[in-house]
Amino acid sequence: MAENGRRATLSRTRVIGAAVGLADTDGAEALTMRRLGRELGVEAMALYNHVGGKDDLLDAMVESAAEEIVTPEDGTPWRAYARGRALSAHAVMLRHPWLPALWTSRLAVGPARMRYMDGALRSLREAGFPPGLLDRTYHAVENHIIGHAMQAAGFPLDEAEMREAAEPLLRSPALEPYPDLIAHIRHHRDTPPGDDAFAFGLDLILDGVERLLAAS
Amino acid sequence: MAENGRRATLSRTRVIGAAVGLADTDGAEALTMRRLGRELGVEAMALYNHVGGKDDLLDAMVESAAEEIVTPEDGTPWRAYARGRALSAHAVMLRHPWLPALWTSRLAVGPARMRYMDGALRSLREAGFPPGLLDRTYHAVENHIIGHAMQAAGFPLDEAEMREAAEPLLRSPALEPYPDLIAHIRHHRDTPPGDDAFAFGLDLILDGVERLLAAS
DNA sequence: CCCCCGCTATTTACGCCGTAAATATTTACG
DNA sequence: CGTAAATATTTACGGCGTAAATAGCGGGGG
C-alpha cells in the first residue's frame, strides 16, 4: 500500500513537503530532482514513484501553498473578506518566494486554488457587485498580490542586509545622475519594509471599489 | 574593431536583439545559448565574444526592453505622468511576456531602468508628495504593472484561443463545485481582454492617491 | 515455510544545458 | 605581405530531467 504502510519512508506528501522546504530555503533554482532526492536520502529516480515528474511536482507545490491561504468565513462583508484573503495570500507568498512566479506561470489549477478563487468571486457577487465591476475588482486585487510578491521575492533582503547593500550602491557613480533614485534608496535604507506598503495599495484599491459600488 | 567592421556579422546589439526576438516568439525557456547561436548562424560559443554569459545577456535584454518604455515629458502633471509611463510599461511588458519575471528577479539595474525609476520619483516629488506617500504611490503603481503583466504572461491566449480553451474547461467536472469560478470563466470567454482592466486598476490607485495628496 | 508478485528503489543511459579551454580562422593594419 | 588581434569552432565537463532496465523487498497464497 502506498499511503500508510507503517514504514513507507517516501510518499507523495513527503516529497512535496521536502520540495517546498528546499525551494523556501535555497531558492527555486536549487530545486532539482537529484538534489531533492539527496535531501530525502534517496536517488532522484525514486521520486518518480510518487510524483509524475518535475512539472507535476511544481503544480503540487503551488496547490500545497494554496492550501495555506486562509479565507475569511462565509458571510464576511465583501471588503473584510477581500482584505483578509489578500493579506493571507500575501503572507503565504512572502513565506514562499518561489510561489508568485509559479502561481502565474502554471496553468494547472487544483481544488485549493479553485476554492480560493471561487470564494473571492462569490463574496463579491453576494455583495451585489455587477459583473463588470466584480471581474475588475477581483483582478485588481489579484494583480496587487502578485505584483507585490514578485517584487518582494526579487529583493529578498532583511533590514540588516538592506542597510549593508545600500551603502556601496549609494556611492556608485552610476547612480549620480539620478538624485531621486538615490533618495528612494536612502528612504528604503532608513525605513525598513514594515509591510504596510502592501496594505496601503490594497486599501487604495478597496476604497476605490467601494465608491464605485456605491455609485452603481 | 568591434562595432562596425563592414562585415562584422555578429555584435552585442545583434545578439541581444535576436535573444529578445527568440524569447518573444518561443518563450523564455526556448532561449538557449545553443539555440540562439543557431538562430544567428553561429556556434553557441561565438556569442561569448559579445556577451559575458547568459546572465549578462538576460540583464541586457531587460535593459533593452526598459529602453522601449516611453516616459511623458518633464513637467507633465504627476497624474498624467504616472498614467502615461504605466501604460507604456504595460504595453512593453505585453510585447515581451518574459519581461516581468526577469524585471523582478534580476538585481542588476542599467541606466534605462534607472532613468525610468528616477523620472517617476521626480515627477511625484515635484508635485509635492510627502516622502511616505511618494514611496507608497510609486510601489503601488509598480506592483500593479508587474502583477498584471505576470498574469497576462501566464495566460497567453488571444480571443479565439480563449473561446476554444474555455469550452472543455467549463465541462470539466472538477469545476462543478465552484459556480462563481464557472461564471468567471464564462465572463472571460464572452468579454475579450480589451485591456481596460489594467487602466481600471491603475485609475483606482491614482484616484486614491489623488485624494490622499489633497488631504495631506 | 517458501515462493512469487507487485511496489519501491537504483543503475545506466540519452540528449539537453551553460561555459571553460584550446584551437582554428578571419580581419585589420603597418 | 606579415602579423597580431578579433572572432569563430571544437572539444570537454558537470549538471539537468527522465526513459528503460534492473535489483531489492514485504506480504499473501500454495
Side-chain angles (χ1 to χ4, degrees), chain A:
Chain A
M1 194 142 304
E3 216 51 59
N4 49 5
R6 278 247 295 89
R7 278 300 86 200
T9 116
L10 227 48
S11 73
R12 171 167 247 260
T13 318
R14 239 165 71 75
V15 169
I16 294 165
V20 167
L22 181 52
D24 282 350
T25 58
D26 290 13
E29 72 290 348
L31 177 55
T32 272
M33 297 305 274
R34 288 166 161 92
R35 170 88 189 272
L36 179 56
R38 201 178 320 138
E39 222 77 29
L40 287 162
V42 108
E43 296 301 315
M45 289 311 291
L47 305 171
Y48 286 78
N49 287 311
H50 306 278
V51 297
K54 190 163 187 186
D55 277 1
D56 178 42
L57 175 60
L58 294 177
D59 287 335
M61 289 169 68
V62 173
E63 183 67 4
S64 145
E67 285 163 6
E68 293 181 29
I69 302 176
V70 350
T71 279
E73 62 180 322
D74 281 15
T76 304
W78 74 267
R79 194 184 161 132
Y81 189 100
R83 197 169 197 275
R85 121 194 136 82
L87 289 174
S88 175
H90 177 59
V92 170
M93 297 228 170
L94 291 190
R95 269 208 293 284
H96 304 303
W98 45 269
L99 183 55
L102 286 185
W103 187 274
T104 49
S105 69
R106 319 239 101 226
L107 31 77
V109 174
R113 248 183 104 168
M114 289 190 185
R115 201 161 40 241
Y116 166 81
M117 298 171 71
D118 191 67
L121 295 164
R122 181 174 61 251
S123 163
L124 297 178
R125 176 178 53 75
E126 288 177 347
F129 277 67
L133 181 60
L134 191 158
D135 180 75
R136 286 147 159 39
T137 300
Y138 173 77
H139 285 300
V141 172
E142 226 51 23
N143 290 346
H144 185 66
I145 296 169
I146 294 293
H148 191 102
M150 284 296 294
Q151 309 258 178
F155 226 77
L157 306 179
D158 64 24
E159 186 175 353
E161 292 169 315
M162 183 95 237
R163 288 192 116 73
E164 191 173 343
E167 293 317 321
L169 220 172
L170 286 168
R171 291 196 209 322
S172 149
L175 268 177
E176 189 248 325
Y178 309 109
D180 286 282
L181 180 50
I182 292 177
H184 182 72
I185 295 171
R186 283 225 184 80
H187 182 259
H188 277 281
R189 179 197 53 187
D190 297 338
T191 73
D195 245 3
D196 42 1
F198 178 77
F200 173 84
L202 180 59
D203 287 330
L204 235 43
I205 293 168
L206 296 180
D207 283 346
V209 166
E210 198 159 39
R211 233 176 325 259
L212 290 177
L213 179 64
S216 84

Side-chain angles (χ1 to χ4, degrees), chain B residues 32-34 45 48 54:
Chain B
T32 270
M33 297 304 275
R34 288 167 161 90
M45 288 312 290
Y48 286 77
K54 189 162 190 189

Side-chain angles (χ1 to χ4, degrees), chain B residues 48-205:
Chain B
Y48 286 77
N49 287 311
H50 305 280
V51 297
K54 189 162 190 189
D55 277 0
D56 178 41
L57 175 59
L58 294 177
D59 286 335
M61 290 169 68
V62 173
E63 183 67 4
S64 145
E67 285 162 6
E68 293 181 29
I69 303 176
V70 349
T71 279
E73 61 179 324
D74 282 14
T76 304
W78 75 266
R79 194 184 161 133
Y81 188 100
R83 199 168 196 275
R85 120 193 138 82
L87 289 175
S88 175
H90 176 59
V92 169
M93 297 226 171
L94 291 191
R95 269 207 293 284
H96 304 303
W98 45 269
L99 183 55
L102 286 185
W103 186 276
T104 49
S105 68
R106 318 238 99 225
L107 31 76
V109 174
R113 248 184 105 167
M114 289 191 186
R115 202 162 38 242
Y116 167 80
M117 298 172 70
D118 190 68
L121 295 164
R122 183 175 58 252
S123 164
L124 297 178
R125 177 180 51 76
E126 288 177 348
F129 277 68
L133 182 59
L134 191 157
D135 180 75
R136 286 147 159 39
T137 300
Y138 173 77
H139 285 299
V141 172
E142 226 50 24
N143 289 348
H144 184 64
I145 295 169
I146 294 293
H148 191 103
M150 285 296 296
Q151 308 259 177
F155 227 77
L157 306 179
D158 63 25
E159 184 175 353
E161 291 170 317
M162 183 96 235
R163 289 192 116 72
E164 190 172 345
E167 292 317 318
L169 220 173
L170 285 168
R171 292 197 208 321
S172 150
L175 269 177
E176 189 249 325
Y178 309 109
D180 286 281
L181 180 51
I182 292 177
H184 182 73
I185 295 170
R186 284 224 183 80
H187 182 258
H188 277 281
R189 179 197 54 186
D190 297 338
T191 73
D195 245 4
D196 43 0
F198 178 77
F200 172 83
L202 180 59
D203 288 329
L204 236 41
I205 293 169

